[in-house]
Amino acid sequence: MLRTHTCGELRSAHVGQEVTLTGWVHKTRDKGGMMWVDIRDRYGLTQLKLEEGVTAPEVMASARELGREFVIKASGTVIERISKNDKLATGDVEIQVTVIEVLNPAKLPPFLIEDETDGGDDLRMKYRYLDLRRNAVRKNLELRHQMMKQSRAYLDTLNFIEVETPVLIKSTPEGARDFVVPSRMNPGEFYALPQSPQTFKQLLMVSGFDKYFQIVKCFRDEDLRADRQPEFTQIDCELSFVTQEDILNTFEGLVKHLFREVKGIEIEKLPRMTYADAMKYYGNDKPDTRFEMKFVELNDQVKGKGFKVFDEAGLVIGINANNCASYTRKQIDELTEYVKRPQLGATGLIYARVEADGTVKSSVDKFFSQDDLQQWAQAFAANPGDLLLILAGAEDKTRKALSELRLEMGERLGLRDKNTFSPLWVVDFPLLEWNDDAQRFFAMHHPFTSPKPEDIELIATNPGAVRANAYDMVINGVEVGGGSIRIYERPIQERMFKLLGFTEEEAQAQFGFLLNAFEYGAPPHGGIAFGFDRLCSLFGGADSIRDFIAFPKNNSGRDVMIDAPSPIAQEQLNELQIQLGTK
């Protein structure tokens, strides 16, 4: 090694030792007769000291030529600092330099390599290799490393075996769009990049590998958001001879292990909530349970009073914002505009204040008596000082809008603390969801999800009422993992494909390999996949998964650093027998 120590390693115990450090020039301070250089690597930062009359003149001269981000090698003696820096791990010592060697000069970076940088997102993504030098970004990747290490350690203790599955697979019509890869040796035919290793891990169960896992790259060609990337990482797992209860206990254990080993937090047993209750009380299937503010339905209390908005609504529903009766008209108007945004589409917001004396005053007082309003307060279990926020309209749309309003109020009231974690299981999802445009059912999770045994007979008479043997893990309103008990018998899988609109020929062409495998002794099995990037961002207290991926894409799915995707040469297109259309 060119160095004897890292830049984050030296302490008072090293005083008097001759050392050599290598790294990047973080900052220089020249006071004439005295000069300091901060040298940085991924382990930390150490101060170098140069002093006229002590340091050789040629070394002083070399040091004065240093610029930010120069790569240097410095040798000298560890001495105690006169002015100690308690904010720095190495702040008790510095190096009295005897030799400085420039290993590579550097251009002035386009932004400051500091925790609080002056570089915007686009600029930092273009120069991501520089952005990765910043402490904040480096710590994110160190956390990711620990999450990966601890996941493997936990699963290894339970006899899981890590198996790599293919990256070039077959395109399937269900789910999100595939990324496709042309095959030169099979002109006109294409591979797809896997959206998940789903069928392969099921085949591994048929093969007798009863506990499989893989920390695996997956790909989906879909519109991007803060928590989505075209390529992402999953902790993918499958087990044989298990029930849903076995899987919930096993992977509840994984998440508890990660919180304990990575965050130093002990998590109690995860509560469970049915999909029906999640939708009823929170308006979505990934509820943020760090705070209450559950939905209260008011149809029985408000219908038939002459207020047209309520009388004609499919659903009247609201939340109780505790201690918010003092909200000003301006604040109420802001909330009204929030729910009227096109993304939510509410027509307005009704509110009612519970005054200090217990009386209730609402924005629709002329339609409702004080006795009526007291029934509202009773339904909400409201106390003096509370503010009731009410929406009305079509059921699904209104629940969605109120769900967003609840989260907004949680944010405004400081109830969504990133250092508080509230994980839970959501269970008993519908097996199918109806698509009006296609006029057919789609699998809510995927076509291999098993129905609840007690609901199988409903497939013929009421498919929409069939519950899935499926489960999601939700933390702080984010779905971090999901899975199901799988279908493992060919007749039931064929029945499922038929329900989803596949002909026998289509099912055989797309999934014949899996159906055939089921005839050779497939065990009962089930599994789960965790969104590893999402888990990392939650543990790191960030909103975007991009901060925890070394080289992420932007919101247009582009890598602006290497400028990809990009056109390819006509010779390559010819070789692949691909002809591009004209715009």
Side-chain angles (χ1 to χ4, degrees), residues 83 120 123 250 292 309 366 376 407 421 431 496 504 536:
S83 299
L123 187 63
T250 299
E292 283 288 321
V309 172
K366 66 180 180 180
W376 294 17
L407 294 176
F421 298 94
L431 182 70
M496 183 68 168
E504 278 188 41
C536 290

Side-chain angles (χ1 to χ4, degrees), residues 413-427:
L413 296 173
L415 302 175
R416 304 182 73 191
D417 179 8
K418 286 183 168 60
N419 295 312
T420 299
F421 298 94
S422 180
L424 75 152
W425 289 107
V426 178
V427 298

Side-chain angles (χ1 to χ4, degrees), residues 554-567:
N554 68 9
N555 287 341
S556 300
R558 295 196 65 84
D559 186 324
V560 295
M561 183 182 67
I562 63 172
D563 193 23
S566 62

Side-chain angles (χ1 to χ4, degrees), residues 214-416:
Q214 186 180 186
I215 299 179
V216 59
K217 279 279 190 181
C218 300
F219 307 85
R220 289 180 189 167
D221 187 6
E222 59 185 358
D223 296 336
L224 305 181
R225 300 196 297 262
D227 62 345
R228 288 185 180 174
Q229 284 273 297
E231 55 179 302
F232 56 96
T233 304
Q234 288 185 177
I235 308 174
D236 198 64
C237 307
E238 199 80 4
L239 303 88
S240 294
F241 306 111
V242 289
T243 64
Q244 176 174 301
E245 191 68 23
D246 296 321
I247 291 178
L248 297 190
N249 289 334
T250 299
F251 294 99
E252 184 169 316
L254 171 62
V255 168
K256 286 181 176 180
H257 175 83
L258 290 175
F259 271 110
R260 183 186 311 115
E261 297 300 323
V262 178
K263 296 288 290 182
I265 294 173
E266 290 292 337
I267 296 290
E268 300 297 321
K269 184 168 179 61
L270 273 61
R272 299 179 188 181
M273 184 184 299
T274 65
Y275 171 86
D277 281 350
M279 297 304 294
K280 179 177 180 179
Y281 295 117
Y282 299 96
N284 65 53
D285 58 5
K286 43 184 185 294
D288 186 345
T289 53
R290 283 174 291 183
F291 62 105
E292 283 288 321
M293 218 180 285
K294 290 182 179 178
F295 291 8
V296 175
E297 296 181 15
L298 288 174
N299 282 26
D300 292 345
Q301 288 86 354
V302 301
K303 295 276 190 177
K305 302 292 183 177
F307 183 45
K308 190 175 180 182
V309 172
F310 285 171
D311 289 344
E312 295 181 356
L315 179 68
V316 182
I317 195 166
I319 53 175
N320 180 2
N322 296 144
N323 303 313
C324 291
S326 59
Y327 263 38
T328 64
R329 184 56 190 262
K330 181 182 177 182
Q331 289 173 300
I332 298 287
D333 288 345
E334 286 174 357
L335 295 175
T336 303
E337 291 306 310
Y338 179 83
V339 298
K340 288 170 71 175
R341 293 179 307 154
Q343 304 95 305
L344 302 185
T347 54
L349 174 67
I350 308 299
Y351 66 90
R353 308 176 196 271
V354 184
E355 304 290 354
D357 61 1
T359 59
V360 182
K361 293 186 178 179
S362 81
S363 52
V364 288
D365 275 352
K366 66 180 180 180
F367 296 99
F368 298 93
S369 68
Q370 186 59 212
D371 286 344
D372 294 331
L373 297 175
Q374 287 297 329
Q375 288 183 34
W376 294 17
Q378 189 174 358
F380 282 98
N383 296 311
D386 290 349
L387 177 66
L388 314 181
L389 301 171
I390 301 164
L391 298 178
E395 181 166 351
D396 290 348
K397 191 175 181 179
T398 303
R399 284 192 189 280
K400 178 184 175 183
L402 188 61
S403 174
E404 293 298 321
L405 178 60
R406 174 183 176 272
L407 294 176
E408 175 67 14
M409 288 304 298
E411 199 71 53
R412 291 181 178 222
L413 296 173
L415 302 175
R416 304 182 73 191

Side-chain angles (χ1 to χ4, degrees), residues 514-566:
L514 186 65
L515 293 170
N516 294 340
F518 285 172
E519 295 185 304
Y520 289 92
H525 59 280
I528 192 169
F530 287 92
F532 185 67
D533 310 298
R534 287 186 187 178
L535 267 178
C536 290
S537 64
L538 265 172
F539 274 55
D543 295 322
S544 173
I545 65 174
R546 288 199 307 176
D547 298 329
F548 295 82
I549 298 172
F551 299 102
K553 308 291 189 291
N554 68 9
N555 287 341
S556 300
R558 295 196 65 84
D559 186 324
V560 295
M561 183 182 67
I562 63 172
D563 193 23
S566 62

Side-chain angles (χ1 to χ4, degrees), residues 85-264:
N85 183 349
D86 59 5
K87 296 179 181 178
L88 203 61
T90 60
D92 288 345
V93 297
E94 59 190 357
I95 310 302
Q96 185 77 59
V97 174
T98 54
V99 178
I100 281 186
E101 179 185 349
V102 175
L103 300 177
N104 206 350
K107 291 168 63 176
L108 185 68
F111 54 85
L112 288 173
I113 312 296
E114 301 275 6
D115 287 355
E116 299 298 325
T117 183
D118 56 351
D121 282 352
D122 292 342
L123 187 63
R124 290 188 295 107
M125 289 304 102
K126 184 175 180 179
Y127 296 94
R128 181 63 167 174
Y129 49 86
L130 297 180
D131 194 38
L132 289 169
R133 293 181 188 173
R134 296 194 305 121
N135 285 332
V137 184
R138 189 197 73 245
K139 286 176 181 175
N140 288 344
L141 292 188
E142 288 174 349
L143 182 142
R144 184 185 179 96
H145 166 72
Q146 288 298 321
M147 296 280 284
M148 199 169 281
K149 176 182 171 183
Q150 292 299 335
S151 296
R152 282 194 168 96
Y154 174 83
L155 294 168
D156 186 60
T157 62
L158 298 180
N159 292 322
F160 279 79
I161 181 171
E162 187 166 10
V163 181
E164 293 177 293
T165 52
V167 174
L168 296 175
I169 66 167
K170 186 175 188 173
S171 183
T172 58
E174 292 288 314
R177 295 184 188 89
D178 288 325
F179 282 103
V180 294
V181 181
S183 171
R184 178 182 60 81
M185 292 183 288
N186 301 279
E189 296 185 319
F190 296 81
Y191 299 106
L193 301 180
Q195 296 183 31
S196 90
Q198 182 61 44
T199 54
F200 290 101
K201 65 180 181 178
Q202 290 191 248
L203 290 171
L204 285 169
M205 297 303 104
V206 179
S207 304
F209 291 90
D210 66 324
K211 289 183 175 182
Y212 142 94
F213 87 99
Q214 186 180 186
I215 299 179
V216 59
K217 279 279 190 181
C218 300
F219 307 85
R220 289 180 189 167
D221 187 6
E222 59 185 358
D223 296 336
L224 305 181
R225 300 196 297 262
D227 62 345
R228 288 185 180 174
Q229 284 273 297
E231 55 179 302
F232 56 96
T233 304
Q234 288 185 177
I235 308 174
D236 198 64
C237 307
E238 199 80 4
L239 303 88
S240 294
F241 306 111
V242 289
T243 64
Q244 176 174 301
E245 191 68 23
D246 296 321
I247 291 178
L248 297 190
N249 289 334
T250 299
F251 294 99
E252 184 169 316
L254 171 62
V255 168
K256 286 181 176 180
H257 175 83
L258 290 175
F259 271 110
R260 183 186 311 115
E261 297 300 323
V262 178
K263 296 288 290 182

